[in-house]
Amino acid sequence: RADIAPLPFAAMLSSDLLSCGIDRWYPDLRRLTIRSVLVPLPPDFAAYLVADGVVLPGGDDEAGASPAGEEADDESADGSAALALPASFEAVRRAIDDGIERLGGAVFVKLNWSAPRDAAWVLGGSLKCTSSEDVLLLLQSSDRAAHDLTEARRMCEDAAAAGEGGAGVDAAGEPHGFVLALRKWCEL
């Protein structure tokens, strides 16, 4: 309706968004919240998470999966574009598995801002992850995770004006990337 005035919200800046990320508040509040392990995500790994298709490493028959460090063919056997695993894949996968073990064998995952709640269907309706494969499947299947990785910064007035998206720099000019938070699984 034309007679309704817009709400007087201040525009959100990148620094506001970054301040809400778990990597900013968890170190100060860790004694007051659920135990967590933060895993930094290299840019090539973040790109892997939002690429079309879901590719998890496994046997040699994995369509589109290439071992870390090897080039993938441009097309897979069925003619679709192949998705190569990033060079950082094994290191991140190991960090995820180590974090799960440190937190008792089961975790709830989230990226800087959002949890992949929209993808619980891939794990039978639960967000409980017990392996790096569960974590990767959940993140690759989630529109919420894709939004965090590609669109969250574009909502910020200063980033939108500069044409930024995804990871960038904070107000002090420091690089700021993405993190994966592994939070100890709790039945609430």
Side-chain angles (χ1 to χ4, degrees):
R1 294 180 17 186
D3 61 333
I4 297 177
L7 296 174
F9 291 118
M12 183 170 55
L13 300 175
S14 293
S15 60
D16 300 328
L17 179 68
L18 295 176
S19 294
C20 295
I22 192 168
D23 56 321
R24 294 295 172 99
W25 61 261
Y26 181 77
D28 292 331
L29 300 173
R30 69 180 173 270
R31 289 181 298 282
L32 304 172
T33 189
I34 297 169
R35 200 168 137 223
S36 302
V37 172
L38 302 181
V39 178
L41 298 179
D44 66 333
F45 197 87
Y48 157 77
L49 290 176
V50 296
D52 285 341
V54 175
V55 176
L56 298 174
D60 294 335
D61 59 345
E62 287 285 336
S66 298
E70 288 186 18
E71 294 292 321
D73 293 334
D74 288 340
E75 302 242 338
S76 63
D78 66 1
S80 62
L83 177 63
L85 297 175
S88 62
F89 185 85
E90 278 306 310
V92 174
R93 187 195 60 76
R94 267 192 310 278
I96 293 170
D97 283 332
D98 291 347
I100 291 171
E101 186 177 325
R102 283 178 48 202
L103 295 171
V107 298
F108 171 82
V109 300
K110 66 177 285 173
L111 293 174
N112 297 51
W113 305 285
S114 304
R117 295 185 320 231
D118 60 318
W121 59 272
V122 299
L123 296 179
S126 174
L127 295 172
K128 183 178 184 178
C129 297
T130 57
S131 68
S132 57
E133 289 80 13
D134 289 349
V135 171
L136 297 174
L137 184 60
L138 200 57
L139 292 174
Q140 285 186 308
S141 302
S142 173
D143 289 337
R144 287 175 176 261
H147 179 272
D148 270 13
L149 295 169
T150 62
E151 301 295 324
R153 285 181 165 270
R154 290 191 179 122
M155 296 172 32
C156 300
E157 186 173 273
D158 54 342
E164 293 179 24
V169 295
D170 63 16
E174 294 296 318
H176 187 272
F178 296 106
V179 296
L180 171 62
L182 306 171
R183 310 205 72 200
K184 182 175 177 60
W185 181 259
C186 300
E187 297 288 342
L188 300 177

